[in-house]
Amino acid sequence: MSAKLDKIGADLEKARAKRMEWETREKELETRYKEQENAEICDVTRSYNLTPDQLAELLRMVQNTMPESVVARETTDSFHGEEEETHEE
């Protein structure tokens, strides 16, 4: 091969390695973010001394009092977020 092709090939391999590093880092950060988010949700729930049943009832009440457009938009946004996660894997 020519020197130019060798250099481009080497650069390509470096770029692929960097991409893999960043993808791994992204997944780690997503995991840490979700764990912290879950911990904060648990902390808030516990601060109100709610049982799981009480929390479920409270969430049902909130959802039932929200305007239909807000519930529909949040459901759609949630669905699209799950769909994007599925496509990434």
Side-chain angles (χ1 to χ4, degrees):
M1 285 194 197
S2 72
K4 283 186 178 183
L5 276 179
D6 290 342
K7 183 178 181 335
I8 292 170
D11 287 345
L12 180 59
E13 287 304 314
K14 286 181 192 176
R16 286 179 178 154
K18 278 289 187 192
R19 182 185 70 207
M20 289 177 61
E21 287 176 32
W22 279 105
E23 286 175 354
T24 300
R25 176 80 172 137
E26 178 185 22
K27 288 183 190 290
E28 289 170 358
L29 288 171
E30 285 173 349
T31 299
R32 287 177 45 203
Y33 184 92
K34 189 168 213 156
E35 288 171 354
Q36 182 60 38
E37 186 177 47
N38 289 341
E40 289 183 20
I41 290 169
C42 287
D43 289 346
V44 168
T45 303
R46 287 188 182 118
S47 73
Y48 286 97
N49 296 319
L50 296 174
T51 66
D53 290 336
Q54 290 171 326
L55 176 61
E57 180 60 29
L58 177 64
L59 293 173
R60 273 193 293 279
M61 288 178 359
V62 169
Q63 187 173 20
N64 290 335
T65 60
M66 294 173 74
E68 287 292 322
S69 60
V70 173
V71 173
R73 184 175 55 242
E74 288 178 355
T75 302
T76 302
D77 291 346
S78 174
F79 174 76
H80 288 302
E82 291 171 5
E83 190 176 73
E84 288 174 6
E85 289 176 12
T86 303
H87 290 301
E88 289 176 5
E89 295 177 8

